[in-house]
Amino acid sequence: MALVRWEPVRELNSMQQEMNRLVSTFVDTPTGGNGGAVARRWIPAMDLVETDDHYVLTADLPGLTEGDINLEFEGDVLTLSGERTSEHSERKEGFYRLERASGAFSRSLTLPEGIDPEAVTATFDNGVLEVRIPKPEQRKPKKVAIQVGDAPKTIESAEDSES
């Protein structure tokens, strides 16, 4: 009986390839409307960066205008949605290949509670959307006065006792 060395990384790579193959069968399904081409769902790339005072969301939206984009803030969820249309509507004789994906998209991010929706700003320049979301103010401990007999006594927070 031969000993075979177990390599978990190779097993994970194999599993990832199988999952990618499985997912691609659902996402990349042939459709009859575009000549048997493969339909691809477009999901724009987004970055979310935290600074000292803001959360900054940057999204790459090439080929779109500000009218094609919908940005909504409801509760603590920020949703970016829109649609990129295909530039090719009919197929003629000859070579036909489409690699750029098009279609509707929607991306949602859950943000911390306490963000003021009125303070959120968005700019759109050269196909890049930048959304600046001010961080909510940190809640600080509140002093509570305790009445002992006739003289009120104040309890101080740990921050007050350090100074």
Side-chain angles (χ1 to χ4, degrees):
M1 175 175 181
L3 290 175
V4 177
R5 184 175 183 181
W6 179 58
E7 295 182 30
V9 175
R10 185 180 340 148
E11 301 249 353
L12 286 174
N13 285 337
S14 175
M15 188 180 343
Q16 182 177 10
Q17 288 172 353
E18 280 299 308
M19 289 300 293
N20 288 342
R21 187 186 62 77
L22 179 65
V23 169
S24 70
T25 60
F26 291 111
V27 176
D28 296 336
T29 56
T31 59
N34 58 4
V38 174
R40 292 188 183 159
R41 183 170 174 233
W42 180 57
I43 301 174
M46 293 185 352
D47 295 332
L48 182 63
V49 178
E50 181 178 3
T51 66
D52 290 338
D53 300 326
H54 291 83
Y55 297 105
V56 181
L57 169 73
T58 307
D60 290 338
L61 303 167
L64 298 181
T65 66
E66 63 275 0
D68 298 328
I69 303 166
N70 186 26
L71 190 62
E72 294 179 345
F73 191 74
E74 184 177 339
D76 57 349
V77 177
L78 179 71
T79 302
L80 170 65
S81 60
E83 184 171 2
R84 182 164 75 176
T85 57
S86 175
E87 297 173 9
H88 305 282
S89 60
E90 64 181 67
R91 182 177 180 208
K92 297 179 183 176
E93 290 183 32
F95 191 75
Y96 187 73
R97 179 178 179 134
L98 297 178
E99 290 186 355
R100 295 186 303 153
S102 60
F105 66 90
S106 180
R107 304 278 314 261
S108 295
L109 297 169
T110 302
L111 298 169
E113 291 182 16
I115 290 179
D116 179 15
E118 300 297 322
V120 175
T121 60
T123 58
F124 188 70
D125 187 32
N126 291 327
V128 178
L129 175 70
E130 181 180 282
V131 182
R132 297 186 70 77
I133 307 155
K135 288 183 174 179
E137 290 186 24
Q138 296 293 327
R139 295 186 178 154
K140 296 181 180 176
K142 181 181 174 185
K143 293 183 180 183
V144 178
I146 300 175
Q147 180 93 17
V148 179
D150 292 332
K153 182 178 179 180
T154 303
I155 298 176
E156 297 181 5
S157 67
E159 293 175 359
D160 295 333
S161 61
E162 292 175 1
S163 49

